[in-house]
Amino acid sequence: EIVLTQSPGTLSLSPGERATLSCRASQSISSSYLAWYRQRPGQAPRLLIFGASSRATGIPDRFSGSGSGTDFTLTISRLEPEDFAVYYCQQYGNSFSWTFGQGTKVEI
Amino acid sequence: QVQLQESGPGLVKPSETLSLTCTVSGGSVSSGSFYWSWIRQPPGKGLEWIGYIYYSGYSNYSPSLKSRVTISVDTSKDQFSLRLNSVTAADTALYYCARHKRGNNPFEIWGQGTMVTVSS
């Protein structure tokens, strides 16, 4: 099973600032099958990024993803109020065991 | 627009079986293009994929839960269901159903989730 480790656990920033979130895999993720989700309090996760760097439908361009192999990054260029939430990475390269990271909380 | 809605008992006793149903609206569970998954989230914790089913009945489960999980599909009702047996307090969680494209693809549509507490 591929273990995903996200850092930092909590990121304290202000609206308008840039956020950089990391996701590291215990083994290489094939074909960059890595996604990012945002989960606001009391809501289901929402897909932001897939294929490591492609934005999902309706996702604004302040969200960008990068990386390959075992190291991946989600960048939010300018934080909006709705971006203060928990972010999860997920690998879907092994269809017998999809896994999530433990999450990074972005707080004001 | 496709929507998913979970339903089922909010309280289950230890050692009993947890049963949940996900109803698909605005689309069909019989679409050959998608897998249908269950995912859970213990209070204050992260996400855990439980398993998925295809409209044909083919299913695949997380190795850590495989011995206790069954996912089934009812194409006539556009529903798919989760059964988790021999539950303990560790199975207390918010349970989500989700849709993803067939093959290696992320979870693109989620239900709102339903909370299940395991307690006597």
Side-chain angles (χ1 to χ4, degrees), chain A residues 37 39 88 90 92 95 98, chain B residues 41 52 60 96 100 104 107 111:
Chain A
Y37 300 83
Q39 187 177 33
Y88 294 95
Q90 179 227 344
Y92 52 94
S95 61
W98 287 308
Chain B
Q41 185 172 36
Y52 74 74
N60 189 24
Y96 293 102
H100 43 125
N104 294 321
F107 303 108

Side-chain angles (χ1 to χ4, degrees), chain A residues 1 33 35 37 39 42-47 50 88 90 92-98 100-102, chain B residues 35 37 39 41 45-49 52 58 60-61 63 96 100 103-108 110-111:
Chain A
E1 175 177 292
Y33 289 139
Y37 300 83
Q39 187 177 33
Q43 295 188 14
R46 181 180 181 181
L47 178 65
F50 64 94
Y88 294 95
Q90 179 227 344
Y92 52 94
N94 178 349
S95 61
F96 293 101
S97 185
W98 287 308
F100 292 88
Q102 83 279 18
Chain B
Y35 291 152
S37 270
I39 298 156
Q41 185 172 36
K45 296 187 178 180
L47 300 159
E48 179 183 24
W49 173 71
Y52 74 74
Y58 174 79
N60 189 24
Y61 305 128
Y96 293 102
H100 43 125
N104 294 321
N105 286 290
F107 303 108
E108 54 177 4
W110 297 63

Side-chain angles (χ1 to χ4, degrees), chain B residues 88-102:
Chain B
T88 69
D91 295 310
T92 293
L94 186 58
Y95 285 76
Y96 293 102
C97 56
R99 188 189 85 170
H100 43 125
K101 293 178 183 175
R102 187 179 175 188

Side-chain angles (χ1 to χ4, degrees), chain A residues 25-48:
Chain A
S26 60
Q27 57 186 280
S28 184
I29 296 175
S30 59
S31 303
S32 295
Y33 289 139
L34 191 285
W36 290 93
Y37 300 83
R38 178 181 67 186
Q39 187 177 33
R40 295 176 184 160
Q43 295 188 14
R46 181 180 181 181
L47 178 65
L48 300 174

